């Protein structure tokens, strides 16, 4: 009888689902060096990473506040995060930020939710970016190649915290035609909207809709490829369907010490126009006070994305007024106008729609970028033909290529100007 009971118990246990396989580690890349950070399944669901190994892979440290304490400090670069085991909050400076899941201990080790590494640290400007396509967390490294004094940009007037450059694995050798003493060019490409913010939807009168956030992301990725083919280092503000705060997009560019910031958007017709579905064309904006009603309309439409930012402070002083009082930024405004002209001229060569010209308006996404910064409206998604054009992969690639050529042309001209060669 006992033998039968044991056999029955064995059969019951064998019917239980096998244990889940272990999770792969989080890969951290610093230049050519790869490190693996142990992960495990979070008790509340999702994935957790080992905090001390994460800090070490990123060149930081995990510090225990006191012996036997449940409080820790995770330091990466100049960013410090105060954590407590059993708590789902992190304190950075004077800000308390909620985590998706709690911090916990297991086997004598501290674990944090994966989102702290892949989402929170990049947004805090800690010198890391997460590439979901390669499932890699990338640590920035400072480009150490010296630059000649004659080619230095006049940016010292703009006070800016020291920050690392773009991800080290994107660094490529500079073209042979450029002096080896020049540091690599860095461009930030921003795909407008994302996540719950669809942006424009169109075309008018067509049941199957396209969304701005998807078009801008596709074109931004093609632009990244085109720029990298031209030996330019690229930092993307987003590579997935996620929401990035308008103010954070420019700050990403600042932390990367980018040469310029380019935000990709899709236009929408004013429904009060006589034939809104027939509106076509492309236009490029730089940050300055709007001169026309249509410029104000486009800025208001793109700035509306701030309503999706639950923690956004919309009561602060008008950011455009602050920028206009900053003389260092005014220098960037003039350069932004020149960059806009070159981009607009480039699109004329390939775009089937009419050129609507270079314009200016108070775009929030451009306010925090302390460098030449522009916003490109690549067409009207409310127009059936232009929606088809902008969703065609070949046309996206063609458009990205001409934008990349214009960027290179601008950087070449700028370097000649500040170097005394033009």
């Amino acid at each position: 009888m006992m033998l039968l009971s044991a056999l029955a118990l064995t059969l019951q246990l064998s019917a239980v689902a096998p244990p889940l396989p272990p999770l792969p580690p989080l890969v951290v890349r610093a230049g050519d060096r790869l490190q693996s950070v142990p992960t495990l399944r979070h008790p509340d669901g999702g994935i957790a990473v080992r905090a001390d190994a994460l800090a070490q892979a990123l060149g930081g440290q995990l510090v225990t506040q006191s012996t036997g304490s449940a409080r820790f400090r995770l330091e990466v670069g100049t960013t410090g995060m105060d954590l407590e085991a059993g708590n789902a909050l992190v304190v950075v400076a004077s800000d308390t930020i909620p985590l998706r899941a709690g911090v916990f201990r297991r086997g004598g080790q501290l674990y944090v939710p994966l989102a702290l590494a892949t989402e929170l640290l990049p947004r805090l400007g800690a010198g890391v970016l997460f590439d979901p396509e390669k499932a890699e967390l990338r640590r920035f490294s400072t480009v150490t190649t010296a630059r000649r004094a004659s080619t230095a940009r006049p940016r010292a007037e703009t006070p800016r915290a020291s920050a690392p450059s773009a991800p080290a694995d994107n660094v490529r050798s500079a073209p042979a035609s450029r002096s080896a003493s020049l540091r690599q060019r860095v461009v930030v490409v921003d795909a407008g909207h994302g996540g719950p913010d669809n942006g424009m939807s169109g075309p008018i009168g067509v049941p199957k809709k396209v969304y701005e956030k998807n078009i801008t992301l596709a074109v931004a990725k093609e632009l990244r490829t085109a720029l990298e083919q031209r030996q330019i280092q690229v930092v993307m503000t987003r590579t997935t369907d996620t929401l990035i705060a308008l103010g954070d997009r420019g700050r990403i560019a600042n932390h990367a010490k980018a040469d310029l910031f380019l935000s990709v958007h899709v236009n929408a017709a004013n429904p009060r126009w006589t034939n809104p579905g027939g509106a076509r064309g492309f236009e490029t904006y730089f940050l300055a006070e709007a001169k026309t009603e249509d410029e104000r309309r486009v800025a208001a439409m793109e700035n509306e994305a701030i309503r999706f930012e639950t923690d956004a402070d919309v009561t602060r002083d008008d950011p455009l007024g602050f920028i206009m009082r900053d003389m260092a930024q005014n220098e960037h405004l003039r350069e932004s106008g020149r960059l806009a002209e070159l981009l607009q001229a480039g699109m004329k060569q390939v775009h089937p729609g009419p050129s609507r010209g270079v314009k200016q308006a108070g775009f929030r996404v451009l306010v925090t970028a302390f460098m030449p910064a522009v916003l490109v409206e690549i067409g009207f998604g409310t127009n059936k033909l232009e929606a088809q054009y902008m969703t065609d992969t070949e046309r996206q690639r063609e458009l990205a290529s001409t934008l990349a050529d214009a960027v290179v042309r601008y950087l070449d001209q700028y370097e000649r100007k500040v170097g005394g060669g033009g």
Side-chain angles (χ1 to χ4, degrees):
M1 185 69 180
M2 291 180 62
L3 180 61
L4 291 176
S5 298
L7 179 60
L9 179 60
T10 301
L11 291 173
Q12 286 179 343
L13 291 174
S14 64
V16 176
L20 294 172
L23 293 173
L26 172 66
V27 176
V28 177
R29 177 185 292 272
D32 295 328
R33 184 170 59 91
L34 295 178
Q35 291 195 61
S36 297
V37 178
T39 64
L40 50 74
R41 288 177 175 81
H42 197 288
D44 298 331
I47 301 174
V49 296
R50 207 172 103 183
D52 63 330
L54 174 66
Q56 188 272 331
L58 293 174
Q61 61 180 343
L62 181 70
V63 180
T64 305
Q65 301 288 31
S66 60
T67 304
S69 172
R71 296 183 178 182
F72 300 82
R73 183 173 178 83
L74 179 65
E75 297 178 347
V76 178
T78 58
T79 301
M81 312 174 69
D82 293 318
L83 309 164
E84 184 174 3
N87 205 327
L89 298 172
V90 58
V91 178
V92 181
S94 58
D95 295 328
T96 301
I97 304 171
L99 298 172
R100 290 191 177 187
V103 178
F104 65 95
R105 280 172 162 167
R106 180 171 295 180
Q109 302 294 341
L110 188 75
Y111 286 84
V112 297
L114 179 64
L116 181 144
T118 61
E119 298 177 14
L120 183 56
L121 277 174
R123 291 197 62 177
L124 291 174
V128 297
L129 281 178
F130 180 65
D131 184 345
E133 295 180 353
K134 295 185 178 180
E136 290 181 353
L137 188 66
R138 300 177 181 176
R139 189 182 74 182
F140 293 135
S141 68
T142 303
V143 179
T144 57
T145 306
R147 295 166 56 204
R148 293 177 301 185
S150 62
T151 61
R153 297 181 195 84
R155 290 191 185 175
E157 298 172 343
T158 306
R160 208 163 45 177
S162 176
S165 64
D169 67 314
N170 281 340
V171 175
R172 290 182 168 89
S173 299
S177 60
R178 300 175 66 232
S179 168
S181 63
L182 290 176
R183 75 166 180 84
Q184 184 165 20
R185 297 155 161 180
V186 180
V187 170
V188 170
V189 176
D190 171 50
H193 305 276
D197 175 19
N198 290 325
M200 180 281 327
S201 65
I204 293 175
V206 177
K208 186 178 180 180
K209 298 296 183 183
V210 298
Y211 296 102
E212 180 175 6
K213 66 175 184 179
N214 298 327
I215 297 174
T216 60
L217 183 57
V219 173
K221 288 181 176 180
E222 293 291 351
L223 180 54
R224 173 182 61 183
T225 299
L227 288 168
E228 289 178 341
Q229 289 171 348
R230 291 156 177 79
Q231 309 301 319
I232 291 178
Q233 186 175 326
V234 178
V235 175
M236 301 279 285
T237 59
R238 70 179 182 99
T239 57
T240 59
D241 183 16
T242 187
L243 180 66
I244 305 296
L246 293 180
D248 286 345
R249 298 176 189 241
R251 294 188 186 102
I252 290 172
N254 295 336
H255 284 300
K257 294 186 177 178
D259 295 275
L260 59 88
F261 175 89
L262 198 162
S263 187
V264 181
H265 287 258
V266 175
N267 215 336
N270 187 333
R272 295 193 298 272
W273 289 347
T274 303
N275 178 23
R280 300 170 58 227
F282 54 95
E283 54 197 26
T284 307
Y285 284 83
F286 65 96
L287 180 66
E289 187 175 1
K291 292 182 178 179
T292 69
E293 182 60 35
D294 191 53
E295 290 173 345
R296 284 187 285 271
R297 177 192 68 83
V298 175
M301 177 178 66
E302 302 296 1
N303 290 342
E304 190 181 8
I306 199 169
R307 66 189 175 92
F308 293 95
E309 302 168 23
T310 56
D311 59 346
D313 179 7
V314 296
T315 63
R316 72 183 99 180
D317 286 343
D318 172 29
L320 180 59
F322 170 80
I323 294 300
M324 300 306 283
R325 291 192 297 269
D326 186 327
M327 294 307 295
Q329 182 71 1
N330 284 344
E331 167 63 22
H332 296 317
L333 299 187
R334 288 188 288 273
E335 289 299 322
S336 298
R338 177 57 184 153
L339 171 61
E341 291 173 358
L342 292 172
L343 291 167
Q344 193 69 13
M347 286 191 288
K348 285 181 183 179
Q349 302 172 19
V350 298
H351 201 291
S355 171
R356 297 170 62 89
V358 172
K359 301 183 178 182
Q360 58 189 63
F363 290 95
R364 287 182 178 270
V365 71
L366 302 180
V367 166
T368 52
F370 291 96
M371 65 200 63
V374 295
L375 183 147
V376 179
E377 297 279 3
I378 60 173
F380 278 81
T382 45
N383 180 282
K384 182 178 179 180
L385 293 177
E386 289 206 343
Q388 291 175 352
Y389 167 79
M390 290 184 291
T391 53
D392 182 276
T393 302
E394 287 302 315
R395 302 287 75 79
Q396 291 173 347
R397 190 169 296 125
E398 180 183 60
L399 185 62
S401 179
T402 194
L403 290 173
D405 285 341
V407 166
V408 172
R409 193 174 301 116
Y410 167 78
L411 292 173
D412 286 343
Q413 292 180 4
Y414 186 82
E415 287 171 359
R416 285 197 299 268
K417 181 172 70 174
V418 299

